[in-house]
Amino acid sequence: MKVFARIFLGLFVLDSALAAPTLESINYDSETYDATLEDLDNFYNYENLRIDHSEIEIVTMMPSGNRELPSPPPLPQEPEEEESTAKLIDGSSPHGPDFISVLGPQTNEDFPTCLLCTCMSTTVYCDDHELDAVPPLPKNTAYFYSRFNRIKKINKNDFAHLSDLKRIDLTSNLISEIDEDAFRELPQLRELVLRDNRIRQLPELPSTLTFIDISNNRLGRKGIKQEAFKDMYDLHHLYITDNNLDHIPLPLPANLRALHLQNNNILEMHEDTFCNVKNLTYVRKALEDIRLDGNPINLSKTPQAYMCLPRLPIGSLV
Ligand SMILES: *[C@@H]1O[C@H](CO)[C@@H](O)[C@H](O)[C@H]1NC(C)=O
Ligand SMILES: *[C@@H]1O[C@H](CO)[C@@H](O)[C@H](O)[C@H]1NC(C)=O
């Protein structure tokens, strides 16, 4: 019966997603991070979802040609009746292969991902499902959330050939291992959130990233490759708080706005970590938010290091 309910809810939510404003516009700054989670909780609270008829009419009036999704199958006339949903489960659906494609690929348990998780447009939500691996994702997935699960490893095939993938959020899993090429060939990947895991070593990351959060992991001296962020011209936010780093990863990309490294083990830095000591006209005006508090570093030892910055880093100046 739970499964029947899921099918119905899946369709219901899918339909409402087409009517509701997309979640893509959610601001993902650290300050609003919790708010994002709350928003999602509200979304999962199906009882709060009310679609009035005018919204539904707008959807049905839209030409189906300019949509990314295959147009959803018609809802059963009386979805409360068990009889009509039961037909969908045993595969004898009168709606044909279109209906199956909406459910996404089969998981290991022979269960489509979009029944196990919730798929809305190009977003796949798998939060809090006791998953121990990344489920197979539909080819057009752009936003993937799988927070609060038990995933231990990211394999090289988990995200293979997902050329539309823009955001991966695996907050609060048990990830301790990531295959070296797990994030390779993701030409659109912009945001990677791996906070609250057990990661010791970061694999190669795509240079398209704009937002990286690997806070609260186990990255130490060799956890981040040399020059790992050098070519990320669009990287704005780099959050690596609560790890065991003993140095600031260099070089920092030019357009970085926020660098959070609080609660690591950074002891010292070079005078040209942020600035160019040989060229005093160089200004790094984007980098306004540097956090080094909670490190055993004495910022007073390198007074020349902040000359080009719009603001002093936050940390111990004694
Ligand atoms: C010094 O930096 C400025 C601003 O980035 C640049 O225009 C100039 O060419 C640099 N000068 C030298 C000698 O590298
Ligand atoms: C921090 O560095 C400054 C400048 O070198 C020095 O005067 C000060 O005593 C240092 N503070 C600590 C706690 O080591």
Side-chain angles (χ1 to χ4, degrees):
M1 188 53 219
K2 203 179 165 193
V3 173
F4 299 152
R6 270 192 198 285
I7 288 187
F8 170 55
L9 285 174
L11 283 171
F12 181 66
V13 169
L14 178 87
D15 212 43
S16 69
L18 294 171
T22 163
L23 288 185
E24 287 175 19
S25 60
I26 288 177
N27 185 332
Y28 213 65
D29 282 342
S30 62
E31 289 79 10
T32 55
Y33 197 81
D34 292 338
T36 308
L37 281 178
E38 269 169 39
D39 289 347
L40 194 68
D41 279 346
N42 288 338
F43 224 96
Y44 273 136
N45 192 351
Y46 300 112
E47 285 163 27
N48 284 351
L49 276 177
R50 288 199 192 91
I51 306 165
D52 65 38
H53 286 285
S54 58
E55 278 175 318
I56 289 172
E57 272 161 30
I58 289 168
V59 166
T60 51
M61 271 155 46
M62 276 174 67
S64 61
N66 59 9
R67 258 210 237 116
E68 281 181 43
L69 256 195
S71 45
L75 276 174
Q77 288 299 303
E78 287 170 293
E80 295 84 5
E81 274 181 25
E82 232 170 68
E83 197 195 353
S84 56
T85 47
K87 273 188 215 152
L88 303 176
I89 274 234
D90 66 19
S92 63
S93 154
H95 306 303
D98 263 5
F99 181 80
I100 299 303
S101 72
V102 167
L103 299 180
Q106 299 279 316
T107 64
N108 290 343
E109 287 87 39
D110 248 10
F111 207 62
T113 294
C114 296
L115 273 189
L116 187 70
C117 306
T118 303
C119 301
M120 297 189 297
S121 182
T122 55
T123 302
V124 178
Y125 292 103
C126 297
D127 287 356
D128 209 359
H129 274 62
E130 302 185 4
L131 300 179
D132 51 21
V134 173
L137 295 170
K139 262 196 155 42
N140 66 346
T141 304
Y143 301 88
F144 173 57
Y145 296 83
S146 182
R147 299 172 283 198
F148 315 107
N149 283 297
R150 296 174 189 162
I151 298 168
K152 291 197 177 71
K153 188 180 176 211
I154 303 180
N155 297 299
K156 66 173 182 191
N157 291 323
D158 286 349
F159 300 112
H161 313 300
L162 294 175
S163 54
D164 294 338
L165 198 56
K166 293 186 175 68
R167 179 188 295 170
I168 296 172
D169 189 341
L170 290 162
T171 296
S172 276
N173 278 274
L174 304 172
I175 300 164
S176 58
E177 207 186 332
I178 306 177
D179 274 346
E180 183 56 31
D181 35 12
F183 301 125
R184 226 173 250 167
E185 290 173 43
L186 294 175
Q188 308 259 17
L189 194 66
R190 311 282 287 171
E191 302 180 356
L192 181 63
V193 184
L194 297 170
R195 58 177 303 139
D196 305 332
N197 278 285
R198 300 172 178 180
I199 301 164
R200 290 177 187 278
Q201 187 106 39
L202 273 189
E204 191 181 304
L205 300 177
S207 59
T208 47
L209 287 170
T210 64
F211 183 105
I212 299 176
D213 187 352
I214 335 158
S215 296
N216 198 17
N217 274 282
R218 297 183 184 171
L219 298 174
R221 173 184 286 263
K222 292 185 174 163
I224 297 177
K225 289 189 203 320
Q226 292 219 333
E227 306 195 335
F229 308 109
K230 182 177 174 229
D231 296 326
M232 297 188 185
Y233 297 108
D234 297 321
L235 187 66
H236 296 150
H237 292 82
L238 181 56
Y239 296 155
I240 322 181
T241 75
D242 302 281
N243 276 278
N244 201 26
L245 294 184
D246 64 355
H247 63 280
I248 298 174
L250 295 178
L252 297 168
N255 296 315
L256 194 64
R257 290 183 213 152
L259 175 67
H260 288 190
L261 294 168
Q262 58 267 44
N263 305 325
N264 275 281
N265 194 27
I266 298 166
L267 260 164
E268 53 182 17
M269 73 167 123
H270 299 292
E271 297 257 281
D272 54 4
T273 293
F274 306 114
C275 305
N276 183 344
V277 286
K278 291 193 189 117
N279 183 350
L280 296 178
T281 59
Y282 173 75
V283 181
R284 189 188 271 278
K285 61 173 186 287
L287 190 49
E288 294 200 342
D289 177 14
I290 304 172
R291 297 278 307 267
L292 285 163
D293 39 316
N295 284 281
I297 189 173
N298 180 353
L299 296 180
S300 303
K301 282 189 180 162
T302 46
Q304 304 298 315
Y306 324 115
M307 301 274 279
C308 67
L309 295 173
R311 266 178 225 159
L312 281 178
I314 293 173
S316 173
L317 279 163
V318 286

